[in-house]
């Protein structure tokens, strides 16, 4: 069984719970990096940073982050060295995020897409694998620039 990390801020808790159930129905183990407690509203930078570090440390192969737009969590996750997060609001971008960019983290916006589309996007992303080929040099170049920036 594959384990998928998931996390959301308070703007995306309902969509996160729907996606979590969807993944569990597909026999995935889901580890939740958000906190649903009404009195402890999770902030997307904390959730995204925690999940992205778990990806970097090899605890999960893939993670899904949700906030109002999907933008904030993508920005934070991409701050973690070695993590490639892609904002996806359609099935084509979800496929390309994996096939061309080897993104381990997908982000979505609960205020941007509806529940059925979100499930289809997750399905497309999970069904896709990195194709390598001409994209390998590009993904390697991303790592090169990441290293160059962290060496400064």
């Amino acid at each position: 069984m594959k384990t998928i990390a998931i996390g959301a801020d308070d703007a995306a808790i309902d969509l996160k719970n729907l996606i979590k159930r969807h993944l569990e129905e597909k026999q995935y183990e889901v580890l939740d990096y958000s906190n649903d407690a009404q009195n402890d509203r999770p902030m997307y930078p904390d959730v995204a940073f925690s999940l992205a570090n778990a990806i970097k440390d090899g605890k999960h192969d893939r993670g899904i982050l949700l906030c109002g737009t999907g933008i904030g969590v993508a920005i934070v996750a991409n701050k973690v060295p070695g993590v490639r997060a892609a904002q996806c609001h359609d099935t084509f971008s979800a496929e390309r995020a994996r096939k061309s960019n080897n993104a381990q983290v997908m982000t979505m916006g609960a205020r941007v897409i509806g529940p059925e589309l979100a499930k289809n996007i997750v399905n497309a992303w999970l069904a896709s694998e990195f194709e390598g080929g001409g994209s390998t040099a590009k993904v390697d170049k991303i790592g090169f620039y990441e290293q160059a920036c962290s060496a400064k």
Side-chain angles (χ1 to χ4, degrees):
M1 175 185 290
K2 278 183 135 178
T3 302
I4 305 292
I6 196 167
D9 70 356
D10 59 313
I13 293 295
D14 290 341
L15 184 60
K16 186 258 317 181
N17 289 335
L18 179 131
I19 296 298
K20 187 175 176 181
R21 282 191 303 275
H22 178 69
L23 291 168
E24 290 168 345
E25 288 169 3
K26 292 183 160 298
Q27 305 301 308
Y28 287 95
E29 181 181 350
V30 183
L31 187 57
D32 194 343
Y33 282 78
S34 48
N35 180 348
D36 293 359
Q38 293 293 332
N39 60 349
D40 187 16
R41 296 172 60 175
M43 292 180 60
Y44 75 78
D46 299 327
V47 174
F49 189 74
S50 178
L51 186 147
N53 270 294
I55 296 289
K56 177 193 71 149
D57 293 341
K59 293 179 182 176
H60 315 284
D61 292 325
R62 298 197 197 182
I64 299 169
L65 286 167
L66 305 114
C67 66
T69 62
I71 298 167
V73 288
I75 291 169
V76 175
N78 280 313
K79 300 289 184 197
V80 176
V83 173
R84 290 172 304 283
Q87 183 181 9
C88 302
H89 287 140
D90 58 71
T91 56
F92 181 74
S93 60
E95 289 175 358
R96 296 323 310 168
R98 284 295 303 154
K99 291 181 177 184
S100 296
N101 303 111
N102 201 16
Q104 316 100 308
V105 177
M106 178 185 66
T107 73
M108 293 187 291
R111 294 177 177 150
V112 180
I113 58 173
E116 291 307 311
L117 178 57
K119 290 192 284 188
N120 288 333
I121 292 167
V122 167
N123 291 344
W125 186 67
L126 291 173
S128 301
E129 293 295 337
F130 183 55
E131 291 180 337
S135 294
T136 300
K138 296 168 188 168
V139 172
D140 289 347
K141 187 64 80 162
I142 293 169
F144 170 80
Y145 285 127
E146 184 176 68
Q147 292 287 334
C149 289
S150 64
K152 291 183 177 183

